[in-house]
């Protein structure tokens, strides 16, 4: 990623709606792969997407998408970007097939190519026979798939997905997240996806950008958010297994506390490798060692640590320019 | 079997067996996209490419609008009259209610539908700018209105030629009628399009447009009738400026000699009638473009 041009480059971007400062000197680069855009309602996510599409002019600062300045080259940007809006956008009396063909043509594809592309993307998103039925009769999951299909119809280099899992039941949500992942990883299309459910972004994004009141709170790789916490999760089976193991480890001078059905073991102390100690203790006590893994945090834990007064955290200064 | 890892000359592994193929073909410019939007809009205005039910109203109106022309043509050809019983330009004036209902009912198909269902967001996220989108929609409506207005004129013209009426004279009359019909279509498409673009509800747009077109025409006609009867044609002339139909009627009377209440009596007034028709269309079109610019940035 370091050698290629970023997909999105934003410098000092400010959008002042008068009573509301939607974006406040936002500076940020977004690269290939899947990037999650997180923030509460009103954090500036939608405004940022609209500016990136060249629809809303910024008050100051500039934004580039795929090397095109969004204000001066809006049409070029929109020709290579796909957009899935958060709200409903499907006419009920048209079939998904006709609709996607039409919108592919609206992105500049000739009719024949548009037909082929529509059939292909509808297959990829998993709309089979129902593609020939009017979309008014679709379930929410099918509607979201149709919306995704139109965003992909013209083979964009970047797709902006605004809350693609909104209103979906768990099974449909899993399917949609799987699709988002495939777009970013297998289709080779850069993805910017917004969601207010952090667990979802954790599963699909390579990078996470956090906006708060129009400012950048943090931008980094998802795995950096989820750094190992320096503890080991250990789960053992047997009579009073957790208690006996905890006692044994405490005797060996290792910090340990119960965490649900497992033990959280401190890895930071000096001395012999804690993993060896755990293994030996389990063996000595005759317990079945069923799990021993590094304890990762969840995105939610990261946000719980962010300052609540809206000040940008120190991380904001270290926005990776990769 | 070939080695998938050698799928490219550089030997990079790119085959995922997921079947996603990037599109490498041509991408057309904004002109071609706008033409495609106009074409689709024109088809949609007649219910083509939409549900079967949405074809009923436009085609029923079109058939009703054509019926008198077809009957006249049949009579002309069979009986062999030496002149058309109705003038080319007069036809649209006679069927003005049908034209008004057609424009009022089909403008929401092109303008309200995208706003109501939020589809406008998908158009605006594509290369066409909001102004070009508005323009393309308006051209579709204009085209549909012209199809509606021009077809009967052509049927009558065909009948006149088959009856071996004077070709030069008939052609000249048809040309004048077509000019008038274009002026009428421009203003009707402007008014109906603008009303529909402000309403996400189809019913409201239909009622508002019919009210604007037909009720305004009714009032103007009444005033013109009274002004004519009271011997004050000047008032009627000026009143005629306030409705597309009365403007059309006035110009038709002045240019083709068909009788109408208080037509424009001077060349200056004729020019004023043309200027108002063209100005109204331009103003509506400008307002439409502004309207969609606001939609895009909101």
């Amino acid at each position: 990623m370091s050698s290629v041009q970023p997909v999105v480059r934003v410098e000092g971007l400010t959008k002042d709606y008068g009573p509301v400062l939607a974006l406040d000197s936002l500076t940020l680069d977004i690269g290939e792969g899947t990037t999650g855009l997180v923030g509460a309602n009103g954090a500036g996510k939608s405004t940022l997407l609209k500016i990136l599409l060249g629809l809303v002019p910024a008050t100051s600062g500039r934004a580039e998408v795929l090397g095109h300045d969004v204000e001066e080259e809006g049409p070029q940007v929109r020709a290579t970007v796909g957009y899935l809006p958060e709200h409903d956008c499907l006419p009920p009396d048209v079939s998904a097939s006709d609709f996607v063909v039409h919108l592919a043509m609206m992105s500049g594809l000739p009719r024949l190519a548009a037909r082929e592309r529509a059939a292909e993307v509808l297959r990829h998103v998993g709309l089979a026979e129902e593609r020939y039925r009017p979309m008014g009769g679709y379930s929410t999951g099918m509607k979201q798939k149709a919306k995704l299909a139109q965003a992909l119809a013209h083979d964009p280099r970047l797709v902006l997905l605004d809350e693609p899992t909104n209103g979906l039941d768990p099974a449909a949500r899993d399917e949609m997240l799987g699709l988002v992942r495939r777009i970013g990883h297998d289709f080779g299309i850069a993805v910017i996806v917004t969601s207010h459910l952090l667990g979802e972004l954790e599963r699909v994004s390579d990078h996470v950008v956090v906006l708060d009141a129009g400012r950048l709170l943090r931008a980094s790789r998802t795995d950096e958010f989820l750094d190992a916490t320096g503890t080991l999760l250990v789960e053992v089976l047997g009579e009073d297994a957790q208690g006996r193991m905890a006692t044994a480890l405490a005797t060996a001078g290792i910090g340990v506390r119960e965490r649900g059905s497992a033990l959280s073991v401190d890895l930071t102390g000096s001395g012999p490798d804690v993993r060896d100690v755990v293994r030996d203790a389990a063996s000595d006590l005759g317990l079945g060692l069923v799990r021993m893994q590094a304890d990762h945090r969840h995105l939610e834990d990261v946000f719980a640590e962010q300052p609540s007064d809206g000040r940008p955290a120190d991380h904001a200064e270290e926005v990776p320019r990769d | 079997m070939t080695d998938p890892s050698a799928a490219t000359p550089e030997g990079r592994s790119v085959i995922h067996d997921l079947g996603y193929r990037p599109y490498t073909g041509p991408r057309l410019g904004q002109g071609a996209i706008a033409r495609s939007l106009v074409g689709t809009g024109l088809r949609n205005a007649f219910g083509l490419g939409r549900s079967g039910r949405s074809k009923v109203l436009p085609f029923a109106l079109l058939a009703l609008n054509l019926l008198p022309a077809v009957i006249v043509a049949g009579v002309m050809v069979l009986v062999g009259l030496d002149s058309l019983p109705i003038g080319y330009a007069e036809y649209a004036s006679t069927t003005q209610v049908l034209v008004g209902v057609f424009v009022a009912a089909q403008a929401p198909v092109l303008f309200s539908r995208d706003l109501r269902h939020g589809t406008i967001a998908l158009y605006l996220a594509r290369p066409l700018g909001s102004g070009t989108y508005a323009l393309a929609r308006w051209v579709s409506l204009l085209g549909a209105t012209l199809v509606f207005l021009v077809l009967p004129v052509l049927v009558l013209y065909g009948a006149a030629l088959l009856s071996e009426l004077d070709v030069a004279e008939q052609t000249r009359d048809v040309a004048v009628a077509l000019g008038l019909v274009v002026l009428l279509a421009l203003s009707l498409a402007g008014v109906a399009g603008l009303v529909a673009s402000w309403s996400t509800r189809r019913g409201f747009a239909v009622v508002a447009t019919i009210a604007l077109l037909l009720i305004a025409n009714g009032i103007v006609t009444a005033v013109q009738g009274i002004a004519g009867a009271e011997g004050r044609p000047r008032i009627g002339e000026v009143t005629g400026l306030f409705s597309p139909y009365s403007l059309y009627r006035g110009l038709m009377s002045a240019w083709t000699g068909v009788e109408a209440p208080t037509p424009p009596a001077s060349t200056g007034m004729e020019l004023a009638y043309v200027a108002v028709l063209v100005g109204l269309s331009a103003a509506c079109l400008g307002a439409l473009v502004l309207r969609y610019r606001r939609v895009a940035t909101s």
Side-chain angles (χ1 to χ4, degrees), chain A residues 4 21 41 74 86 116 139 181 193 207 211 227 230 294 296 321:
Chain A
V4 292
L21 189 62
N41 287 338
E86 182 183 359
E116 283 173 16
S139 67
R181 217 181 151 69
V193 52
H207 291 78
L211 291 185
D227 275 345
H296 287 282
R321 276 269 178 198

Side-chain angles (χ1 to χ4, degrees), chain B residues 82-234:
Chain B
D82 54 2
S83 73
L84 279 169
I86 185 169
Y88 298 114
E90 208 182 344
Y91 196 89
S93 193
T94 312
T95 58
Q96 63 183 22
V97 175
L98 288 176
V99 181
V101 171
F102 176 81
V103 177
Q106 299 316 108
V109 171
L110 295 166
F111 289 95
S112 312
R113 236 161 56 102
D114 292 341
L115 293 170
R116 175 166 184 190
H117 301 301
T119 319
I120 186 72
L122 303 181
Y123 283 106
L124 294 175
R126 288 180 154 74
L128 281 193
S130 56
T132 320
Y133 168 86
L135 200 65
R137 284 307 201 195
W138 177 80
V139 172
S140 295
L141 185 58
L142 179 67
T145 314
L146 278 175
V147 166
F148 201 86
L149 288 170
V150 168
L151 271 183
V153 173
L154 293 182
V155 170
L156 289 179
Y157 184 52
L161 294 188
L162 283 176
S163 307
E164 296 177 345
L165 301 186
D166 183 55
V167 176
E169 193 187 331
Q170 296 301 319
T171 309
R172 201 191 58 233
D173 288 354
V174 164
V176 172
L178 289 181
L180 279 164
V181 154
V182 167
L183 282 175
L184 179 65
L186 280 171
S187 58
L188 292 183
V191 171
L194 188 59
V195 171
S197 77
W198 278 100
S199 166
T200 54
R201 303 188 76 90
R202 181 170 186 218
F204 176 80
V206 173
V207 171
T209 309
I210 289 180
L212 254 175
L213 292 177
L214 298 184
I215 295 180
N217 178 53
I219 295 171
V220 168
T221 310
V223 173
Q224 283 182 325
I226 296 167
E230 296 289 319
R232 304 182 67 177
R234 185 76 186 158

Side-chain angles (χ1 to χ4, degrees), chain B residues 201-282:
Chain B
R201 303 188 76 90
R202 181 170 186 218
F204 176 80
V206 173
V207 171
T209 309
I210 289 180
L212 254 175
L213 292 177
L214 298 184
I215 295 180
N217 178 53
I219 295 171
V220 168
T221 310
V223 173
Q224 283 182 325
I226 296 167
E230 296 289 319
R232 304 182 67 177
R234 185 76 186 158
I235 294 177
E237 261 182 84
V238 175
T239 314
L241 291 168
F242 289 91
S243 146
Y245 286 130
S246 57
L247 286 162
Y248 177 83
R249 217 165 34 234
L251 287 175
M252 172 186 78
S253 180
W255 292 352
T256 66
V258 176
E259 221 169 278
T262 64
S266 60
T267 315
M269 206 57 192
E270 279 176 35
L271 285 177
Y273 269 49
V274 174
V276 169
L277 265 180
V278 173
L280 175 68
S281 319

Side-chain angles (χ1 to χ4, degrees), chain A residues 229-249:
Chain A
T229 48
T231 57
L232 199 61
L233 276 184
V234 172
E235 195 176 338
V236 279
L237 278 183
E239 198 181 327
D240 187 24
Q242 312 289 41
R244 286 161 63 203
M245 178 57 103
T247 314
L249 291 174

